[in-house]
Amino acid sequence: MRKPPPAGGRTAFDCVRNVGGPLREVCPGLVTDPTGAVVPGAIVTIANTAQGIERTMAANGQGIYTFPSLPVGSYDMQAESSGFRPSKRTGIVVDADSALTDDFQLEPAEQVQSVDVTTTAAQVETTSTQVGEVVTGTQMTAVALNGRSYTDLLVLQPGIVPASTQLPNSVVMAGVTTAIAPSGNLNASNQSISGQREDANGFIVNGGDVKELMNGGTLIVPDLDSIAEFRVITNNPDAQYGNYSGGIVNVVTKQGENQMHGDGFEFLRNTDLDARNFFSPERGLYRQNQFGGTIGGPIKKDKIFYFADYQGTRTFQGVDSGLIPVPTAAERQGDFSAPALASQLGVPSLSDCPTSPGCVSGPYLASQLQQKLGYGVSAGEPYYFAGCTTPELCVFPNAQIPQQAWTAPSKFLEQYIPTPNQGNNIFTSGAYGNQIRDDKFSGRVDANTTRFGLFTGYYFFDDYSFTNPYPSGQGGATVPGFGAVNLGRAQLISLGDTKTFGAATVNEARLTFMRSANNIGKPVQNVGVTLAQQGFASPGDGGIYTLAPQIVGPETLSSILSSQACR
């Protein structure tokens, strides 16, 4: 005698989610007859339509069946029992972090026949309170995304706004003023979700935590063509995500299928039809090539599958330097007689000495100047004041600084300062640009075994270099000739095994390892010029000790020139 369903229906404990992985369950379903009585022992079979992998469960004594953990994908389900017509559902889509319920009502068998139901309507989750949206791989690749990063799509969902606290000049760590961008220049997705901080979000790729802990963004951005779908949970996440107070971004990559599939792509952008910046003498060059492909198929039909992808990016983007004030031709010869400069060189009147910065500070500096100039200089004497024409009244009469008074480092460093190309003291250029080289690939293997269950292995590798001609964000120069490079490499290994025991027990084991190495702002231009070559005294003579000889050069001396100006 069949019993009616238990009072109260399903409980919250009927559906157990896995923690952080790409596998998601179909929550308990109920098998009944036309009178509403349960059908214990009914056999329910679910099959992955792309891989042909089938799993079978028997309904328990209360007519409830459960498939505790399933990979994302499209499925067909069938329920059957002795004395009833089989009932079939097709087109069931299991998404990341979804919890679906499918009940079956079996009709008595009068003759050999079956009932097929095709699932086309939107399915409503009735067992979970978390709020979020799913973006499929088809939707991602149908949109023209500059850079081909799924993170650019996050702000399209309700409750997500771009970062506002991390400004371009915000120092985040060790003097670095910009967040670490994955793949060289992609969006790390420092977004505010549901009003939380931009570093309070979690990022998961195939069950592995890929959050970058310094700035709170993601370190791993898979190739767009390799992503099956991603889901952003914006509110009420399950307890398994208790590590994050913001949103959860869960990315699941594609799997191989029984049929071999693949694609190749090349995306090109350039400046052939672009206009010149109004303030730049030339049009900045922009050229971007993104190329690659994917391939997936069976190693052993219905059992073992593989999927692999590669994407390369080569970008050159001209950067307008802006309007940079530089010394005039007269200033390069020591002529500071222009009214604006002369007023800065000396003092308004003799009464301002000897305490004003425009006066010689101390006997040591006075003796150094006297030795170089060949005439008397005394402590407290003004460098210049309006109307001074003789060395008896000021150090630099007529606001002229003779080159014999210039220090050796000053004479050497002059060659690195560009000459004006707009007016008499403005330099601007768009000829120099950012260069990006990025290579990323990944591979995934899925194996369905009777003894060990469903095994999944995933490996991701990304290596990039980003060359910046004006690395001011890392304390570099704003003029050409002092470019720096950002070097980075990210790797992710994820291993998982899901084994089902009976109708209500599942064991999932997962091991993930992520490694990230970044060298930000490494100088690559005009390095290797020793301090002695630049005119500085050696350490033995009271000079400067070099802490990082591999990057020593003119750019690294800006903070010590003033202390060594007269040496």
Side-chain angles (χ1 to χ4, degrees), residues 261-334:
H261 295 280
D263 64 30
F265 58 85
E266 158 73 20
F267 294 90
L268 169 66
R269 296 184 66 200
N270 55 39
T271 52
D272 288 350
L273 301 178
D274 290 0
R276 175 182 63 86
N277 185 292
F278 180 80
F279 296 103
S280 181
E282 67 272 321
R283 180 179 65 180
L285 177 65
Y286 183 87
R287 183 179 62 252
Q288 176 173 282
N289 294 84
Q290 287 188 290
F291 51 89
T294 67
I295 186 170
I299 297 177
K300 183 178 181 180
K301 191 173 182 180
D302 294 340
K303 291 294 183 180
I304 307 175
F305 309 90
Y306 72 92
F307 188 91
D309 69 276
Y310 166 78
Q311 177 179 287
T313 301
R314 306 291 185 270
T315 303
F316 183 93
Q317 182 177 9
V319 178
D320 289 311
S321 64
L323 304 179
I324 303 175
V326 294
T328 65
E331 291 168 6
R332 288 175 177 269
Q333 301 301 318

Side-chain angles (χ1 to χ4, degrees), residues 17 51 57 101 107 114 116 205-206 226 244 252 256-257 274 287 329 344 364 372 376 395 432 435 450 513 545 556 565:
R17 295 172 175 270
Q51 297 178 331
M57 290 289 178
T101 299
E107 300 290 338
S114 63
D116 293 349
V205 174
N206 287 339
S226 72
Y244 312 104
V252 180
E257 302 175 356
D274 290 0
R287 183 179 62 252
Q344 299 178 25
Y364 178 79
K372 291 177 178 294
V395 180
Y432 305 92
Q435 298 184 55
T450 303
F513 173 80
Y545 286 89
T556 61

Side-chain angles (χ1 to χ4, degrees), residues 165-291:
T165 59
Q166 286 189 356
L167 302 177
N169 60 349
S170 299
V171 177
V172 293
M173 186 173 183
V176 178
T177 59
T178 52
I180 296 176
S183 302
N185 71 332
L186 296 184
N187 177 12
S189 192
N190 292 101
Q191 320 286 357
S192 174
I193 300 180
S194 297
Q196 299 299 312
R197 292 180 179 270
E198 293 89 342
D199 60 356
N201 306 318
F203 296 89
I204 298 170
V205 174
N206 287 339
D209 186 349
V210 297
K211 179 174 180 176
E212 195 270 308
L213 297 180
M214 187 171 76
N215 302 301
T218 180
L219 276 172
I220 304 294
V221 179
D223 170 19
L224 207 63
D225 282 39
S226 72
I227 299 177
E229 65 183 41
F230 75 88
R231 182 172 189 180
V232 184
I233 302 176
T234 57
N235 220 325
N236 292 336
D238 289 342
Q240 66 186 17
Y241 301 119
N243 193 36
Y244 312 104
S245 61
I248 309 298
V249 183
N250 196 348
V251 179
V252 180
T253 63
K254 294 179 180 178
Q255 310 171 54
E257 302 175 356
N258 274 327
Q259 292 185 341
M260 181 175 292
H261 295 280
D263 64 30
F265 58 85
E266 158 73 20
F267 294 90
L268 169 66
R269 296 184 66 200
N270 55 39
T271 52
D272 288 350
L273 301 178
D274 290 0
R276 175 182 63 86
N277 185 292
F278 180 80
F279 296 103
S280 181
E282 67 272 321
R283 180 179 65 180
L285 177 65
Y286 183 87
R287 183 179 62 252
Q288 176 173 282
N289 294 84
Q290 287 188 290
F291 51 89

